Each structure stands twice: as C-alpha cells, then as structure tokens.
Amino acid sequence: MDLKIKAVSPKIGKEIPLPFYATPGSAAMDLHACLDEAVTIPAGARRTIPTGIAIALPSADCVALVYARSGLGIKYGVAPANCVGVIDSDYRGEILVGLQNSGESDFTVQPGDRIAQLMIAPVIQAGIQMVDELDETARGTGGFGSTGT
C-alpha cells in the first residue's frame, strides 16, 4: 500500500522530516511538529500542533490513527488529548495533533520534534441490525473489573 503525502508547509522535507518508520519492525511512523518556533504546553493544558502534511488514504478500507509516542507519555505526561486521533479516508486537510500535558511541569515542543505516531489500519464498516436480545456469553453483562484484577 502506498500512502500519498502532500506537504502543506514548505518546511516539509527540508527543515521538518517526512513521517518515517523508525525501525523495520515499527507499526507506526513518527509525526513531527511543523512549527516556526517552540510551543510550550503548560502543565494541565492542551495545544494543537501542526504537522505540515496532509494525506490521501487509498480507499475507505483504511484509516489513519494518531497515537501517543510512549516516551512522551510516560516520561512527560504528553499525549494526544483525544487519546487516539482518527483520520478518515476522505479527509484531505492538514494533520493536526492536539497534545495534552498531564504532567506536573510545562513541556516545550521544538520545531521538528517527534510528537505522535501515525498508523494505517484496515476498516470494517458494520451494518446495523437492531435486535431485542443479544447472544448469551459466559461474561454476560459483567462490566469493569468483573473478570478480576
């Protein structure tokens, strides 16, 4: 599968790298902050960070998902504000990453920093069927913690 990427900033491919897979076994490619200057995210705050790119997925059978970079999340408490960003196959605008700083200190994003990961995944659009009853299972309606800790 080929992913078409359009630079919406003249910095892409020059000052700001294109997305890339860090290792041959990487499931997602790194997204970079396309900024003119550093942006500080105060502790407890959110900021929208542009990536400078737009993409075209090949069909509605695919979705692009924006995930946290584990190092930013674990070390600094910085992760996408919506947990996982969903980029639909028909979206052609710039990819923006809303970052939330749940850490105790302000966090500064520098131009070109790796801020999130982009994963391409298959999509199954389900047909909706209303029913009066659902199939029985061993778990049934057991919710949070019902299977133990």
Side-chain angles (χ1 to χ4, degrees), residues 71-95:
L72 289 181
I74 298 299
K75 293 178 184 176
Y76 306 104
V78 175
N82 56 342
C83 296
V84 177
V86 176
I87 302 171
D88 296 310
S89 64
D90 54 355
Y91 177 67
R92 295 296 184 267
E94 181 177 8
I95 296 174

mmCIF file of all heavy atoms in Angstrom, residues 71-95:
data_model
loop_
_atom_site.group_PDB
_atom_site.id
_atom_site.type_symbol
_atom_site.label_atom_id
_atom_site.label_comp_id
_atom_site.label_asym_id
_atom_site.label_seq_id
_atom_site.Cartn_x
_atom_site.Cartn_y
_atom_site.Cartn_z
ATOM 1 N N GLY A 71 7.359 7.384 24.880
ATOM 2 C CA GLY A 71 8.320 8.129 25.687
ATOM 3 C C GLY A 71 7.769 9.451 26.175
ATOM 4 O O GLY A 71 7.966 9.836 27.333
ATOM 5 N N LEU A 72 7.069 10.175 25.304
ATOM 6 C CA LEU A 72 6.473 11.449 25.712
ATOM 7 C C LEU A 72 5.394 11.231 26.762
ATOM 8 O O LEU A 72 5.277 11.995 27.723
ATOM 9 C CB LEU A 72 5.877 12.188 24.512
ATOM 10 C CG LEU A 72 6.829 12.785 23.496
ATOM 11 C CD1 LEU A 72 6.053 13.500 22.395
ATOM 12 C CD2 LEU A 72 7.807 13.728 24.149
ATOM 13 N N GLY A 73 4.596 10.195 26.563
ATOM 14 C CA GLY A 73 3.515 9.923 27.506
ATOM 15 C C GLY A 73 4.019 9.501 28.867
ATOM 16 O O GLY A 73 3.589 10.036 29.900
ATOM 17 N N ILE A 74 4.957 8.563 28.902
ATOM 18 C CA ILE A 74 5.445 8.019 30.173
ATOM 19 C C ILE A 74 6.369 9.001 30.892
ATOM 20 O O ILE A 74 6.237 9.230 32.090
ATOM 21 C CB ILE A 74 6.158 6.673 29.950
ATOM 22 C CG1 ILE A 74 5.186 5.637 29.385
ATOM 23 C CG2 ILE A 74 6.825 6.174 31.224
ATOM 24 C CD1 ILE A 74 4.003 5.329 30.270
ATOM 25 N N LYS A 75 7.297 9.591 30.166
ATOM 26 C CA LYS A 75 8.285 10.470 30.811
ATOM 27 C C LYS A 75 7.746 11.851 31.158
ATOM 28 O O LYS A 75 8.119 12.427 32.177
ATOM 29 C CB LYS A 75 9.506 10.634 29.903
ATOM 30 C CG LYS A 75 10.317 9.363 29.721
ATOM 31 C CD LYS A 75 11.484 9.612 28.776
ATOM 32 C CE LYS A 75 12.244 8.319 28.513
ATOM 33 N NZ LYS A 75 13.313 8.526 27.529
ATOM 34 N N TYR A 76 6.864 12.391 30.308
ATOM 35 C CA TYR A 76 6.444 13.784 30.483
ATOM 36 C C TYR A 76 4.934 13.975 30.640
ATOM 37 O O TYR A 76 4.487 15.089 30.903
ATOM 38 C CB TYR A 76 6.922 14.626 29.292
ATOM 39 C CG TYR A 76 8.397 14.504 29.056
ATOM 40 C CD1 TYR A 76 8.893 13.731 28.014
ATOM 41 C CD2 TYR A 76 9.310 15.150 29.883
ATOM 42 C CE1 TYR A 76 10.253 13.603 27.801
ATOM 43 C CE2 TYR A 76 10.676 15.025 29.676
ATOM 44 C CZ TYR A 76 11.142 14.254 28.638
ATOM 45 O OH TYR A 76 12.484 14.129 28.428
ATOM 46 N N GLY A 77 4.136 12.938 30.420
ATOM 47 C CA GLY A 77 2.684 13.076 30.504
ATOM 48 C C GLY A 77 2.081 13.787 29.313
ATOM 49 O O GLY A 77 0.988 14.334 29.400
ATOM 50 N N VAL A 78 2.775 13.772 28.167
ATOM 51 C CA VAL A 78 2.307 14.465 26.963
ATOM 52 C C VAL A 78 1.823 13.432 25.958
ATOM 53 O O VAL A 78 2.591 12.562 25.532
ATOM 54 C CB VAL A 78 3.423 15.342 26.363
ATOM 55 C CG1 VAL A 78 2.990 15.963 25.053
ATOM 56 C CG2 VAL A 78 3.828 16.423 27.366
ATOM 57 N N ALA A 79 0.546 13.527 25.590
ATOM 58 C CA ALA A 79 -0.073 12.556 24.684
ATOM 59 C C ALA A 79 -1.243 13.237 23.970
ATOM 60 O O ALA A 79 -1.715 14.285 24.414
ATOM 61 C CB ALA A 79 -0.573 11.344 25.471
ATOM 62 N N PRO A 80 -1.712 12.645 22.879
ATOM 63 C CA PRO A 80 -2.876 13.230 22.203
ATOM 64 C C PRO A 80 -4.042 13.417 23.172
ATOM 65 O O PRO A 80 -4.377 12.522 23.951
ATOM 66 C CB PRO A 80 -3.210 12.208 21.112
ATOM 67 C CG PRO A 80 -1.882 11.596 20.793
ATOM 68 C CD PRO A 80 -1.184 11.492 22.135
ATOM 69 N N ALA A 81 -4.661 14.598 23.115
ATOM 70 C CA ALA A 81 -5.745 14.948 24.031
ATOM 71 C C ALA A 81 -6.964 14.058 23.838
ATOM 72 O O ALA A 81 -7.728 13.834 24.769
ATOM 73 C CB ALA A 81 -6.126 16.413 23.851
ATOM 74 N N ASN A 82 -7.177 13.560 22.613
ATOM 75 C CA ASN A 82 -8.328 12.700 22.339
ATOM 76 C C ASN A 82 -7.947 11.224 22.378
ATOM 77 O O ASN A 82 -8.657 10.389 21.845
ATOM 78 C CB ASN A 82 -8.965 13.064 20.999
ATOM 79 C CG ASN A 82 -7.982 13.010 19.851
ATOM 80 O OD1 ASN A 82 -6.769 13.031 20.057
ATOM 81 N ND2 ASN A 82 -8.484 12.928 18.637
ATOM 82 N N CYS A 83 -6.850 10.899 23.014
ATOM 83 C CA CYS A 83 -6.319 9.535 23.163
ATOM 84 C C CYS A 83 -5.840 8.968 21.829
ATOM 85 O O CYS A 83 -4.675 8.693 21.677
ATOM 86 C CB CYS A 83 -7.326 8.604 23.830
ATOM 87 S SG CYS A 83 -7.700 9.099 25.517
ATOM 88 N N VAL A 84 -6.733 8.777 20.895
ATOM 89 C CA VAL A 84 -6.373 8.307 19.550
ATOM 90 C C VAL A 84 -7.087 9.189 18.537
ATOM 91 O O VAL A 84 -8.308 9.317 18.581
ATOM 92 C CB VAL A 84 -6.780 6.828 19.326
ATOM 93 C CG1 VAL A 84 -6.452 6.401 17.903
ATOM 94 C CG2 VAL A 84 -6.089 5.912 20.330
ATOM 95 N N GLY A 85 -6.326 9.785 17.654
ATOM 96 C CA GLY A 85 -6.920 10.586 16.594
ATOM 97 C C GLY A 85 -7.295 9.707 15.417
ATOM 98 O O GLY A 85 -6.548 8.801 15.060
ATOM 99 N N VAL A 86 -8.461 9.939 14.845
ATOM 100 C CA VAL A 86 -8.936 9.170 13.703
ATOM 101 C C VAL A 86 -8.930 10.065 12.469
ATOM 102 O O VAL A 86 -9.576 11.115 12.460
ATOM 103 C CB VAL A 86 -10.363 8.631 13.952
ATOM 104 C CG1 VAL A 86 -10.906 7.917 12.714
ATOM 105 C CG2 VAL A 86 -10.373 7.699 15.159
ATOM 106 N N ILE A 87 -8.198 9.643 11.443
ATOM 107 C CA ILE A 87 -8.166 10.371 10.180
ATOM 108 C C ILE A 87 -8.891 9.506 9.155
ATOM 109 O O ILE A 87 -8.391 8.457 8.736
ATOM 110 C CB ILE A 87 -6.725 10.670 9.733
ATOM 111 C CG1 ILE A 87 -6.019 11.480 10.829
ATOM 112 C CG2 ILE A 87 -6.730 11.422 8.408
ATOM 113 C CD1 ILE A 87 -4.545 11.645 10.614
ATOM 114 N N ASP A 88 -10.084 9.934 8.788
ATOM 115 C CA ASP A 88 -10.913 9.186 7.847
ATOM 116 C C ASP A 88 -10.300 9.217 6.449
ATOM 117 O O ASP A 88 -9.549 10.128 6.095
ATOM 118 C CB ASP A 88 -12.321 9.767 7.816
ATOM 119 C CG ASP A 88 -13.032 9.632 9.152
ATOM 120 O OD1 ASP A 88 -13.032 8.521 9.702
ATOM 121 O OD2 ASP A 88 -13.580 10.638 9.638
ATOM 122 N N SER A 89 -10.685 8.231 5.658
ATOM 123 C CA SER A 89 -10.111 8.076 4.314
ATOM 124 C C SER A 89 -10.447 9.238 3.389
ATOM 125 O O SER A 89 -9.725 9.481 2.420
ATOM 126 C CB SER A 89 -10.576 6.767 3.683
ATOM 127 O OG SER A 89 -11.981 6.775 3.497
ATOM 128 N N ASP A 90 -11.494 9.992 3.681
ATOM 129 C CA ASP A 90 -11.879 11.102 2.799
ATOM 130 C C ASP A 90 -11.416 12.466 3.305
ATOM 131 O O ASP A 90 -11.721 13.492 2.703
ATOM 132 C CB ASP A 90 -13.388 11.103 2.542
ATOM 133 C CG ASP A 90 -14.225 11.107 3.813
ATOM 134 O OD1 ASP A 90 -13.658 11.015 4.917
ATOM 135 O OD2 ASP A 90 -15.460 11.191 3.694
ATOM 136 N N TYR A 91 -10.641 12.515 4.393
ATOM 137 C CA TYR A 91 -10.123 13.782 4.910
ATOM 138 C C TYR A 91 -8.854 14.165 4.156
ATOM 139 O O TYR A 91 -7.954 13.338 3.982
ATOM 140 C CB TYR A 91 -9.826 13.669 6.409
ATOM 141 C CG TYR A 91 -9.219 14.917 6.998
ATOM 142 C CD1 TYR A 91 -9.953 16.095 7.082
ATOM 143 C CD2 TYR A 91 -7.914 14.925 7.466
ATOM 144 C CE1 TYR A 91 -9.398 17.243 7.630
ATOM 145 C CE2 TYR A 91 -7.354 16.068 8.014
ATOM 146 C CZ TYR A 91 -8.103 17.226 8.087
ATOM 147 O OH TYR A 91 -7.546 18.362 8.623
ATOM 148 N N ARG A 92 -8.779 15.409 3.717
ATOM 149 C CA ARG A 92 -7.616 15.870 2.954
ATOM 150 C C ARG A 92 -6.940 17.090 3.570
ATOM 151 O O ARG A 92 -6.039 17.671 2.983
ATOM 152 C CB ARG A 92 -8.013 16.199 1.496
ATOM 153 C CG ARG A 92 -8.475 14.992 0.696
ATOM 154 C CD ARG A 92 -7.355 13.982 0.522
ATOM 155 N NE ARG A 92 -7.744 12.864 -0.304
ATOM 156 C CZ ARG A 92 -8.235 11.718 0.140
ATOM 157 N NH1 ARG A 92 -8.417 11.535 1.439
ATOM 158 N NH2 ARG A 92 -8.552 10.753 -0.690
ATOM 159 N N GLY A 93 -7.343 17.486 4.766
ATOM 160 C CA GLY A 93 -6.735 18.633 5.419
ATOM 161 C C GLY A 93 -5.449 18.266 6.134
ATOM 162 O O GLY A 93 -5.061 17.094 6.225
ATOM 163 N N GLU A 94 -4.803 19.295 6.671
ATOM 164 C CA GLU A 94 -3.554 19.079 7.407
ATOM 165 C C GLU A 94 -3.805 18.226 8.642
ATOM 166 O O GLU A 94 -4.824 18.394 9.332
ATOM 167 C CB GLU A 94 -2.953 20.422 7.836
ATOM 168 C CG GLU A 94 -1.644 20.275 8.589
ATOM 169 C CD GLU A 94 -0.998 21.589 8.959
ATOM 170 O OE1 GLU A 94 -1.634 22.662 8.777
ATOM 171 O OE2 GLU A 94 0.156 21.558 9.435
ATOM 172 N N ILE A 95 -2.878 17.338 8.934
ATOM 173 C CA ILE A 95 -2.942 16.560 10.166
ATOM 174 C C ILE A 95 -2.460 17.459 11.299
ATOM 175 O O ILE A 95 -1.338 17.961 11.284
ATOM 176 C CB ILE A 95 -2.085 15.288 10.080
ATOM 177 C CG1 ILE A 95 -2.641 14.356 9.010
ATOM 178 C CG2 ILE A 95 -2.029 14.588 11.442
ATOM 179 C CD1 ILE A 95 -1.794 13.133 8.744
#
